[in-house]
Amino acid sequence: MKSSLAQRRGTCLCLAMAGAMTGGLLTACEYTYDDGGWRPAAPEESSAATEDRARRSPRLPAVGPDDLASWAATAISGAPGEVLKTSTGMLGQDDVSFETAGPVPAGKYTVSLACQSVGRVGFTIRDDNVARVDLILRCGKAQVHELTVGETSFISVRITSQERANFVFSITRR
């Protein structure tokens, strides 16, 4: 242990002297260890953060075409009401998918979204030309958004991904 302590002091002293010779610009010490190194203790994680991580599904690679239907059936739960459109698909790297439902009458709608990818997937939901929802979704957890349409219009969903991904969404009239 003495040699390790001497080595630490020697390194710090050497840097301090070098700092003094360069006009005091160097003010930090560097420590080296011959006993396997020192690592700061990892901060304790709060129980809320641990519970939140446990509730989130891990980001998984996109499934293939044979497994797409079964994945989509379990990815989002059915919202009550009349289903106007459900769509599933696969995106390649930097792909875009554009889906439209309508015309839909004025009323309240629920849009359920989910994706599976190692990356994130972007969803933009529009009522005619007004963006109602614009988000980048971390895959592995479904999202549900409420949407109120003031007059008969089209609801469009634009899906983008920078990685290979699966998506599913459902538009339901409440």
Side-chain angles (χ1 to χ4, degrees), residues 20-167:
M21 291 193 291
T22 60
L25 296 176
L26 184 60
T27 58
C29 291
E30 177 183 316
Y31 295 98
T32 56
Y33 298 90
D34 61 358
D35 57 355
W38 174 83
R39 304 256 189 275
E44 287 192 29
E45 194 173 70
S46 72
S47 62
T50 304
E51 290 172 16
D52 184 48
R53 184 174 293 119
R55 275 184 265 142
R56 251 188 277 148
S57 298
R59 292 189 286 179
L60 300 170
V63 299
D66 296 338
D67 299 322
L68 184 61
S70 62
W71 167 80
T74 60
I76 58 174
S77 60
E82 175 190 0
V83 176
L84 298 177
K85 181 166 185 87
T86 298
S87 183
T88 61
M90 297 174 57
L91 297 172
Q93 186 174 3
D94 297 322
D95 274 354
V96 176
S97 179
F98 189 80
E99 308 270 340
T100 302
V104 297
K108 294 186 180 205
Y109 297 87
T110 300
V111 181
S112 302
L113 313 164
C115 62
Q116 182 163 313
S117 175
V118 293
R120 296 174 188 249
V121 175
F123 289 91
T124 303
I125 303 167
R126 295 181 169 274
D127 164 14
D128 282 336
N129 289 323
V130 178
R132 301 293 180 163
V133 176
D134 194 6
L135 60 93
I136 305 290
L137 184 62
R138 178 185 176 148
C139 294
K141 186 175 179 183
Q143 294 266 330
V144 177
H145 296 275
E146 304 294 323
L147 183 66
T148 301
V149 175
E151 58 187 52
T152 300
S153 62
F154 289 87
I155 296 176
S156 62
V157 180
R158 180 176 184 260
I159 306 109
T160 60
S161 179
Q162 293 180 347
E163 301 289 332
R164 190 170 166 258
N166 303 113
F167 68 87

